[in-house]
Amino acid sequence: MDTLTWLSLGLQLAALCSIVGALLLYLLRKVRVAEVLPVDSAKTVLVTSVDTALGLQIATYLSGRGWRVIAGCRSGGLGARLADSWLQAHVASTSENEPPPRLVTLDLDVAREDMLEEAARATAQHLPAGEHGIWAVINTAGSSGRGGASCWESALRGNVLGALRVARTFSPLLAAAAADHPYAGRLFYIGLTSDTACESLARTEAENGEGSAGAAAVRWGTWGAARALRASLRSRRLNVVLLHAPDLSAAEIYAPPAQLQPPSQPVSRPDTPNSDVSASTAYCAVTMPGEAAEYSAKVLPTCALKVLEEALIAPSPRDSYYLKVKQDSWFTRMPSLRVVP
């Protein structure tokens, strides 16, 4: 064959090799993505408290996204009733060809050793057959630390010591999940907030007095406890992740679900064309004697919740993520949870 023919064959062979190489790279990437995403049987997350609006928002969001959520709460409290009602409403509205959301509540108080141990046993019992641990624990329990010296001890016991107790109690379940899946075993804490920094403390000192100093001390204590736990749990292949919320105060993070309006006023909130329906229509029906009220569980925008979910499935999670809060427009629907007679 002449030179031109050899050149033509060489170009065709090179093109064929390029196509095969591109196809192999595509298949390898698909396999890697499948390995990163948790399999259905491994998607169990524990949220330590849905008594806070933030915890309730995270629990319902992840449940709506397909995660199996175990939610800690006070027995008979508003958070427990709203979570159960949210589940009932969304199961009823789920079509037959779609899996229903999975959310179960259990009694949990991070300040009490006995309740933590009982919650760990109950969590293990809620796991499906073949699953030996939980993918992640998201600690949303705690208090703001404001209110003077009388509140400091309770805040330190619930936030700082609670962070240590949560790690000690649930690390065996996290380690068991990490043994089955290389990306499981993640422990999340709320990190620094807008009232943690000394600059914010100086601005509010005159107004709030020593209460702001106690709030800042509690936040720094939680941050330090998480950093210490990260070093001690690394040998067990567990990741400790801080979720920084620089736009929110501790009072906003640990606030309970808030009633939006008096029961007598009708609900009327216009939608926007680009509003996220799945994240903005979380309604819960709870029987309350003689009243009907609507509660809001919105603390974070949808973009911040997506950052949290990214931290849950990233192959190598960072030590910290920032949950930025953007101001909603005037016409943005407020996600709410409804209490009806």
Side-chain angles (χ1 to χ4, degrees), residues 57-229:
Q57 184 187 26
I58 290 174
T60 53
Y61 172 80
L62 292 178
S63 180
R65 293 284 294 170
W67 294 82
R68 183 185 300 106
V69 178
I70 300 175
C73 57
R74 292 191 301 270
S75 179
L78 178 62
R81 290 178 289 165
L82 290 176
D84 290 338
S85 179
W86 178 91
L87 180 63
Q88 294 174 13
H90 282 68
V91 167
S93 62
T94 302
S95 61
E96 295 182 356
N97 58 349
E98 295 180 359
R102 296 166 294 183
L103 189 153
V104 61
T105 58
L106 56 82
D107 294 348
L108 196 155
D109 185 350
V110 300
R112 291 182 52 180
E113 295 276 0
D114 56 337
M115 292 191 70
L116 273 172
E117 295 296 336
E118 180 60 32
R121 288 191 291 268
T123 299
Q125 293 173 358
H126 282 299
L127 297 177
E131 188 172 337
H132 306 104
I134 52 180
W135 185 273
V137 173
I138 305 174
N139 186 33
T140 57
S143 60
S144 66
R146 292 188 176 276
S150 60
C151 298
W152 291 355
E153 183 177 352
S154 175
L156 289 170
R157 190 167 57 245
N159 294 39
V160 182
L161 295 180
L164 299 173
R165 292 192 185 101
V166 166
R168 182 180 63 184
T169 304
F170 293 104
S171 58
L173 288 171
L174 291 169
D180 291 340
H181 197 288
Y183 303 140
R186 306 183 182 195
L187 182 57
F188 292 85
Y189 291 107
I190 306 299
L192 306 182
T193 62
S194 63
D195 52 5
T196 309
C198 296
E199 294 81 1
S200 173
L201 175 61
R203 288 195 301 269
T204 58
E205 190 70 30
E207 178 182 353
N208 298 319
E210 61 183 8
S212 57
V218 169
R219 298 312 312 145
W220 280 113
T222 306
W223 179 79
R227 286 175 59 89
L229 286 169

Side-chain angles (χ1 to χ4, degrees), residues 57 279 298-306 323-326 328:
Q57 184 187 26
K298 179 174 183 180
V299 181
L300 297 172
T302 305
C303 59
L305 294 171
K306 290 181 178 178
L323 306 178
K324 293 289 187 178
V325 176
K326 296 180 180 179
D328 290 323

Side-chain angles (χ1 to χ4, degrees), residues 2 26 46 49 79 104 106 108 160 244 248 301 307 316 335:
D2 56 13
Y26 173 77
L46 170 69
S49 177
V104 61
L106 56 82
L108 196 155
V160 182
H244 297 311
L248 296 172
V307 171
S316 299

Side-chain angles (χ1 to χ4, degrees), residues 222-235:
T222 306
W223 179 79
R227 286 175 59 89
L229 286 169
R230 180 181 298 134
S232 63
L233 295 177
R234 186 174 290 115
S235 61

